[in-house]
Amino acid sequence: MTLELRGVTKQVAGQHWIHATDLVLAPGSMNVLLGPTLSGKTTLMRLMAGLDQPTTGHIHWQGQDVTGRRVQDRGVAMVYQQFINYPSMTVYDNIASPLRLQRVARAEIDRRVRETAAMMRLTPMLDRRPLELSGGQQQRTALARALVKGAGLVLLDEPLANLDYKLREELRAEIPRIFEASGAIFVYATTEPEEALLLGGNTATLWQGRVTQFGPTPQVYRRPQDAVTARVFSDPPMNFKPVQVSGGEAVLDGTRWLVDVPDGRYVAGFRAPHLTLDPGAGTVGLSARLDATEITGAETYLHLRHGEDRWVGLVPGVRDLPAGAALTVWLDPAHVYLFDEGGRLARAAPYAQAA
Amino acid sequence: MTTTQASRGSAVVMTLYLLFLLVPIYWLVNMSLKTNAEITGTFSLYPLNPTLNNYRIILTDPSWYMGYVNSLIYVVMNTALSLAVALPAAYAFSRYRFLGDKHLFFWLLTNRMAPPAVFALPFFQLYSAVGLFDTHIAVALAHCLFNVPLAVWILEGFMSGVPREIDETAYIDGYSFPRFFTRIFMPLIASGIGVAAFFCFMFSWVELLLSRTLTSVNAKPIAATMTRTVSASGLDWGVLAAAGVLTILPGALVIWFVRNYIAKGFALGRV
């Protein structure tokens, strides 16, 4: 039950939508495809499903080459961002339809439909039609239909993106439970780093049609291989600042701290929550200018300008600061990643190495 | 005060409008219930001696009622044919991009714009040559020329309103294409199919030139039969009027059934 992509590429009208990709998804694993819009998540997923054929390369499923095999024979399941159900059928018939096509016995169909519906909390809605349900229930119906057939590969393409906040939280909490119960390979596409972290499993970060890194989610988050991965896997995006290392010391705004990398030019990267407005033990002060603040109830986003670089800071509490003000923000060097000039990771942030 | 005046004013306008609209139809029904003597001899707003004799003549004389039967046969054939051809064609236009698809789509529509008279001669000669002249299928096929493009145009609009993801979900679930098309897709565009069928039915029913040119006896349509009464013994006004009333009926019936979808149909599904 392994899905393997070998040198898969996809070109449309001369443009590379997916660059050569090798990916091995282990049996019964949760895999998150993380990347911004148009990074190739959906394209990659459609290749996995067999809805589109790769331009070059092969897709192996359970050791067999399934490249070019009809999607009907692939035994996959897929849920879209839009709530896709069969509007003319009841919820019961919607869930039952893949089983009927597999010519499962009637009693068995009934048992499995009711079991799946109970898991998705749809039991009271079985006689209704999908369009008479709320968005969350419609998406549950789509999920139920994807799960009921017991496919070995379940593809979820931003399944929660069209739901309102509350429902999204609710359903997201259920997905790991559903995943545990199914034993299938799950592939889950999302644009949100937070969602990837909550789901756990493995994460593949995508950027402009390339898988930049694939590995256990916490590891990809804490030790991104390169600056692009770090940027994709940070929300708000990671802040960057060129630094010079000489004599084992990095210099930033006149402040120095010890680093264990060879001398040269590097790019320092750090995430928004690691900027603070108050100095702490061992922190480095950086003078910046405030462009704007965004207050989200309990937290404040600071949009800063440091020389030519734009940074985003996230500090707890409501901080009402005047736009245009000069202020000093503080950064613990333990939270700073160093990337070399080619963008490869030179040194992970010490706090991440410890974790 | 002013509002009651305004509403009274609009009521008057509406009444006048309906009156003018219905006068010809009323007069047709009026005539159909009179004797020829009354029609030609006196002016009366309603039948003085109402009679159903005109209708009796039509419903008992095969040379009359066969006109209706012939018309219905080729109209139904045409509607079925047009839909059978247009459904896959519209699906292709709505789902696939292929070389020249937009041009082809436009070209289909230009068929719709040409007057039938243009095609009467080639059809007549062709059908005579292949032995299709004076058959129902001949008229049905000829009417496809302008009904298929229309049906494709209407259905394409409705089909494009169905997200492509539904097709893909069905394939992933294991539906084969024919099964998906009949079990999932067609119910989704049922109102579109209804509207397309209605338009095919109506255009085929009212079309006179091609149907008259391509038939002589065996498949003679009602509209052609109606012109016969001119010759015999002067003009048989009453029977002709009754035939007219009976010709309106099928259309009115069909309109009644699809009245809820008709506006959507005129928008060609692009709402």
Side-chain angles (χ1 to χ4, degrees):
Chain A
M1 295 277 269
T2 309
L3 181 76
E4 199 178 343
L5 271 60
R6 294 188 190 160
V8 167
T9 67
K10 179 73 182 170
Q11 289 180 38
V12 178
Q15 275 189 309
H16 283 274
W17 283 20
I18 294 290
H19 293 273
T21 298
D22 295 294
L23 213 57
V24 179
L25 306 185
S29 60
M30 164 69 84
N31 304 276
V32 181
L33 299 179
L34 175 67
T37 326
L38 295 178
S39 62
K41 300 184 300 294
T42 302
T43 312
L44 199 55
M45 210 167 243
R46 293 175 61 88
L47 292 172
M48 289 176 181
L51 287 168
D52 292 332
Q53 299 308 322
T55 311
T56 59
H58 296 273
I59 294 166
H60 291 252
W61 171 244
Q62 299 177 337
Q64 273 189 315
D65 189 344
V66 293
T67 321
R69 189 178 288 183
R70 285 198 324 156
V71 61
Q72 283 93 335
D73 306 328
R74 288 282 188 99
V76 298
M78 186 155 172
V79 174
Y80 288 88
Q81 178 178 346
Q82 303 89 332
F83 316 134
I84 301 295
N85 292 301
Y86 308 131
S88 47
M89 298 183 183
T90 62
V91 170
Y92 184 96
D93 290 333
N94 259 281
I95 303 175
S97 82
L99 294 178
R100 291 200 176 124
L101 291 167
Q102 289 173 4
R103 305 197 179 281
V104 176
R106 185 179 288 269
E108 170 76 359
I109 291 179
D110 190 65
R111 189 185 64 74
R112 277 162 72 177
V113 167
R114 290 189 189 283
E115 189 183 286
T116 313
M119 182 165 76
M120 299 311 299
R121 306 201 180 119
L122 284 167
T123 306
M125 287 86 190
L126 281 175
D127 295 328
R128 297 208 212 157
R129 283 171 202 281
L131 294 178
E132 296 163 5
L133 303 177
S134 72
Q137 290 164 342
Q138 287 184 39
Q139 195 64 316
R140 281 167 199 274
T141 308
L143 277 166
R145 206 185 47 243
L147 293 168
V148 77
K149 62 191 233 187
L153 178 64
V154 179
L155 304 161
L156 309 173
D157 189 2
E158 299 189 50
L160 309 181
N162 279 10
L163 291 173
D164 67 59
Y165 182 73
K166 197 80 191 153
L167 282 168
R168 195 190 310 187
E169 301 279 278
E170 199 180 301
L171 211 51
R172 182 160 55 207
E174 285 179 35
I175 281 177
R177 183 173 63 86
I178 297 163
F179 162 68
E180 293 291 333
S182 78
I185 298 182
F186 266 46
V187 181
Y188 187 108
T190 180
T191 56
E192 295 171 35
E194 194 193 355
E195 207 159 78
L197 288 165
L198 286 168
L199 288 169
N202 300 316
T203 293
T205 46
L206 272 100
W207 178 256
Q208 295 183 344
R210 277 196 176 82
V211 173
T212 60
Q213 188 171 352
F214 179 61
T217 305
Q219 194 188 323
V220 178
Y221 182 76
R222 294 211 186 95
R223 291 185 61 91
Q225 280 174 4
D226 48 38
V228 169
T229 305
R231 190 200 308 265
V232 170
F233 212 152
S234 305
D235 180 45
M238 187 172 263
N239 301 309
F240 291 104
K241 181 74 201 169
V243 293
Q244 182 75 41
V245 174
S246 54
E249 282 189 322
V251 187
L252 186 55
D253 266 16
T255 327
R256 300 162 176 277
W257 75 94
L258 288 172
V259 289
D260 47 359
V261 291
D263 291 1
R265 298 168 60 79
Y266 291 89
V267 173
F270 50 93
R271 293 196 165 99
H274 294 143
L275 278 179
T276 57
L277 284 171
D278 309 301
T283 53
V284 180
L286 303 162
S287 52
R289 189 166 292 279
L290 185 69
D291 276 347
T293 55
E294 283 178 295
I295 296 167
T296 65
E299 289 171 325
T300 305
Y301 284 97
L302 307 171
H303 293 271
L304 302 161
R305 198 185 286 271
H306 180 269
E308 286 176 2
D309 299 300
R310 289 165 169 278
W311 291 349
V312 181
L314 178 61
V315 294
V318 175
R319 307 295 287 254
D320 207 0
L321 299 161
L327 52 96
T328 306
V329 287
W330 301 86
L331 174 66
D332 185 343
H335 290 143
V336 177
Y337 294 84
L338 286 181
F339 301 98
D340 65 20
E341 284 185 295
R344 309 292 303 169
L345 183 72
R347 194 197 68 152
Y351 89 99
Q353 280 174 320
Chain B
M1 192 65 190
T2 45
T3 49
T4 47
Q5 271 177 348
S7 68
R8 195 175 299 156
S10 66
V12 169
V13 171
M14 197 64 204
T15 311
L16 282 174
Y17 176 70
L18 284 178
L19 215 61
F20 279 117
L21 212 62
L22 285 176
V23 157
I25 292 173
Y26 171 73
W27 206 250
L28 188 70
V29 176
N30 186 18
M31 276 167 70
S32 74
L33 297 172
K34 292 177 184 176
T35 58
N36 275 332
E38 190 183 339
I39 294 169
T40 49
T42 55
F43 175 81
S44 52
L45 288 174
Y46 55 90
L48 297 173
N49 302 303
T51 169
L52 287 173
N53 197 37
N54 296 324
Y55 289 95
R56 197 184 53 76
I57 291 172
I58 289 174
L59 296 176
T60 50
D61 180 356
S63 67
W64 268 111
Y65 68 70
M66 278 316 287
Y68 286 104
V69 173
N70 289 335
S71 283
L72 274 175
I73 289 174
Y74 73 69
V75 165
V76 169
M77 276 170 113
N78 168 264
T79 306
L81 265 175
S82 298
L83 287 180
V85 173
L87 274 168
Y91 186 81
F93 277 118
S94 102
R95 290 299 193 256
Y96 301 110
R97 295 285 148 265
F98 48 90
L99 188 67
D101 55 349
K102 297 223 167 57
H103 303 286
L104 192 60
F105 197 58
F106 180 73
W107 177 77
L108 271 175
L109 280 173
T110 56
N111 277 354
R112 175 72 250 187
M113 296 162 192
V118 174
F119 299 107
L121 183 68
F123 269 129
F124 179 76
Q125 213 290 316
L126 180 67
Y127 286 168
S128 305
V130 298
L132 274 176
F133 181 73
D134 198 21
T135 56
H136 298 109
I137 190 73
V139 185
L141 280 174
H143 285 176
C144 280
L145 185 76
F146 49 85
N147 273 349
V148 167
L150 181 82
V152 170
W153 178 254
I154 292 173
L155 289 172
E156 196 270 343
F158 279 88
M159 287 179 180
S160 294
V162 177
R164 194 184 293 252
E165 283 81 3
I166 288 200
D167 308 24
E168 294 176 354
T169 301
Y171 300 150
I172 289 173
D173 277 357
Y175 282 89
S176 63
F177 179 76
R179 203 175 163 118
F180 152 73
F181 200 81
T182 49
R183 299 285 286 277
I184 308 273
F185 198 66
M186 280 175 55
L188 284 180
I189 55 158
S191 59
I193 295 174
V195 169
F198 161 75
F199 277 103
C200 290
F201 187 96
M202 284 314 286
F203 283 124
S204 187
W205 181 256
V206 301
E207 200 283 330
L208 173 64
L209 191 93
L210 282 176
S211 56
R212 197 171 55 182
T213 312
L214 298 177
T215 55
S216 59
V217 183
N218 293 329
K220 193 176 193 180
I222 182 61
T225 311
M226 282 168 72
T227 56
R228 186 186 61 156
T229 44
V230 180
S231 54
S233 53
L235 209 51
D236 200 347
W237 296 95
V239 175
L240 205 52
V245 171
L246 291 175
T247 309
I248 293 175
L249 272 182
L253 272 175
V254 177
I255 289 182
W256 174 260
F257 282 120
V258 298
R259 66 193 183 285
N260 293 327
Y261 301 111
I262 205 105
K264 212 173 164 189
F266 275 118
L268 303 171
R270 291 166 173 80
V271 280

